[in-house]
Amino acid sequence: MTDPLIPAVLAFRDNGTPYSPLYNDIYHSAVGGLEQAHYVFLRGNALPDRWHGRRVFTVLETGFGMGINFLVTWAAWQADPARCERLHFVSTEKHPFTPGDLRSVYAATLSDPRIAALAQTLVDAWPMLVPGTHRLEFEGGRVVLTLVFGDVQTSLPVLRLRADAFYLDGFSPARNPEMWAPAVFRSLARMAGEGATFATYSSAGDIKRALLQNGFVYQKVDGFGWKRAMLVGHFEPRWRVRRHEPPLPFASEERHAIVIGAGLAGCAVIERLAARGWRVTSLERHGSVAQEASGNPAGVFHPMISRDDSVASRVTRAGFLYALKRWADLERSGHAPLRGGHGLLQIAADDEEARLMVEAIAALGYPPDYVTPVSLAQAERLAGMPLARAGWLFPSGGWIDPASLCAAQCAAAGHLLERRFGIHVARIERTTDQWTVFDRAGQAVARAPVVIVASAHDASRIAGLRYAPTRSIRGQLTLLPPGAVPPLSIPVIGEGYAVPLTHGTTLTGATYELDDPDTLLRPSGHRENLERVARMLPALVRATDTIPIESLAGRVAFRCVTSDRMPMIGQLADEAAAVSNAQLLRGAWPLDLPRSDGLYGAFAYGSRGLIWAGLGAELIASQIEGEPWPLERDLAEDVDVARFLLRALRQQTVNGQ
């Protein structure tokens, strides 16, 4: 189970220097935090000169602390007319500050008004204090802060990135030896790009030895303030120190991608690529966006809570938090999707589940702005009507109109998006450095160096995948007209769901019918939806008994799912090459698999497309651009399109073995 996050405690020494009571060490030199950041970390890594002329430059820091190093680096980037196009700053932190404490420490220590303004922007964007990877974007996405809340020894091994500079800024080795453990330096070597530099305030002998053992060379230079010496250096291994090279951008001079499918998955990819300056051709078989499951009148969004903090819970948490950030950015840019107010209530299936979830939320240490248990009386006040049981509240959960989200994402892409509707894609083919897309008549309809297949049930067929099994789930929704049932104050979910839409309509659903292709509404489906909702909301029993089932409106859509109910996201494997080398790949890991150049997938989102699509799109865009991944590597492997091929190789069940 993921360890609960324990926030930092704000304290000050008598001279006003902030320090950590847990480690009994200061966050920065008493001479000055801004000055230390400039001298030790920017100057120690030859910045800003080293990022000149670069498209992407990545800094990895061990120990975010107050964030002073990030703020000073951001300010230097702002002031530099020759700055890199995108600055990535990745940092780990086991004990992050609460937003209130961060605001207080900045007010007490920052005298530079320019840095103080950036600090205010950072606090306003500060993520919820839950474990995992959090991605924050500033400067229109040109400055990206990826915060990893968790222990450095478990966080660094699961990062996937190519670092250009390292800020080694943990508390002193004597007071916090875990930050300077051998495993930390092995992780740095795994992520170091060619010529990557480092700087650290410390000059302890154990650190020197660990650097040398992991392929770094160092030199001792004058320290900052009262510190006599510090270390700087670069990555120059004299022997092989890693199995896999850190990621590089896809090699193509033409920044043009084809996205097949214009539902939630495809439109999210369109927006993320266009935000990086890519020209995108969208191919959709229908006459407009969001015509399949993404065309439902509304969808609920919320994280998933499990007592063991399962993979599904961790991926869903990451997707939920990232989606909230992306939607807020769309709203600020004038492309607001239609969504309800804040808050979503989940009702326990029985009293035992209610008790277990209260215990799980407490054990996992979730803050109340993420999820909070509520008693039956509290739940009824929130919902505005009697309920069957207690449950838990997601204050930032709610409902959103998926089609409006797709439209907002396409609008945000602006002139970089070419939309083509009525295109029935049959197959794709790669020749030299281009992918060609063919329609059902065998005609070539588009060419580009990159293709992202985001067409749900058709994705495996179009991409020619044999080891990407998906199935179809028929889902029927029911719309209750205004006045038919008492109005809810917020969405309520549990065995089913009830969502109060605009103009008094209530959405309920949805049925779950495996491999059922029937597109017609069924009275039995409406009845099933109403019965499930009535078990959560007893006040609806009498109301639904009086509604003629045959008169109800609704919608049928088909969810695309995998056997493990996880999505398919990322670069596709070259299945033919893998099969031909099956014996060599029996013990392979995901990074060992041969991959199809320029071919990616985003599909099988099931009923969680709203919260998986944005994160999946960001992961794909990061893979294409060679940027730090927005998701821990082990979680990315759990959603990797190639995971079923990998299982077949390990089990020796691929054709040719």
Side-chain angles (χ1 to χ4, degrees), residues 345 347 376-377 379-389 486-488 492 533-542:
L345 185 63
I347 302 300
L376 176 59
E380 290 179 337
R381 283 195 296 271
L382 289 166
M385 67 169 60
L387 300 172
R389 281 169 296 277
L488 276 170
V492 177
V533 171
R535 287 196 290 269
M536 298 189 305
L537 311 173
L540 298 190
V541 174
R542 285 193 302 273

Side-chain angles (χ1 to χ4, degrees), residues 20-36:
S20 167
L22 179 62
Y23 295 102
N24 193 26
D25 200 0
I26 55 177
Y27 278 98
H28 60 70
S29 168
V31 178
L34 303 183
E35 294 81 359
Q36 177 178 316

Side-chain angles (χ1 to χ4, degrees), residues 392-572:
W392 46 99
L393 173 71
F394 297 107
S396 296
W399 68 267
I400 193 169
D401 176 356
S404 73
L405 175 58
C406 289
Q409 290 166 328
C410 290
H415 71 280
L416 291 171
L417 174 60
E418 175 196 10
R419 308 190 201 199
R420 297 180 61 186
F421 296 107
I423 304 295
H424 293 259
V425 175
R427 63 183 181 90
I428 56 176
E429 180 181 297
R430 186 167 182 84
T431 54
T432 61
D433 60 350
Q434 293 276 315
W435 285 98
T436 303
V437 179
F438 296 89
D439 65 14
R440 291 190 303 197
Q443 298 297 311
V445 294
R447 289 187 177 87
V450 170
V451 168
I452 300 93
V453 184
S455 47
H457 308 282
D458 290 333
S460 294
R461 174 186 58 80
I462 290 171
L465 299 177
R466 298 168 56 194
Y467 298 93
T470 61
R471 300 187 74 174
S472 174
I473 304 295
R474 180 185 184 274
Q476 179 173 319
L477 304 176
T478 301
L479 289 166
L480 301 176
V485 295
L488 276 170
S489 300
I490 61 173
V492 177
I493 67 170
E495 294 183 73
Y497 57 78
V499 182
L501 304 182
T502 54
H503 310 302
T505 301
T506 301
L507 173 67
T508 68
T511 62
Y512 194 92
E513 295 145 325
L514 185 64
D515 296 330
D516 184 339
D518 186 10
T519 61
L520 298 178
L521 290 173
R522 299 171 182 162
S524 61
H526 287 324
R527 191 172 295 108
E528 179 185 335
N529 288 336
L530 297 182
E531 288 174 352
R532 278 208 309 270
V533 171
R535 287 196 290 269
M536 298 189 305
L537 311 173
L540 298 190
V541 174
R542 285 193 302 273
T544 54
D545 282 345
T546 63
I547 300 173
I549 294 293
E550 293 76 9
S551 69
L552 290 176
R555 190 173 190 272
V556 173
F558 299 89
R559 313 178 194 108
C560 177
V561 300
T562 58
S563 58
D564 59 10
R565 296 302 187 265
M566 298 300 290
M568 305 282 256
I569 303 171
Q571 187 175 13
L572 272 57

Side-chain angles (χ1 to χ4, degrees), residues 20 54 112 155 168 176 196 200 273 305 388 393 396 465 527 534 561 563 570 585 603 609 614 637:
S20 167
R54 298 282 297 273
D112 185 325
S155 297
L168 307 184
N176 187 16
T200 175
L273 286 178
I305 308 295
L393 173 71
S396 296
L465 299 177
R527 191 172 295 108
V561 300
S563 58
L585 294 172
F603 57 100
E637 291 172 353

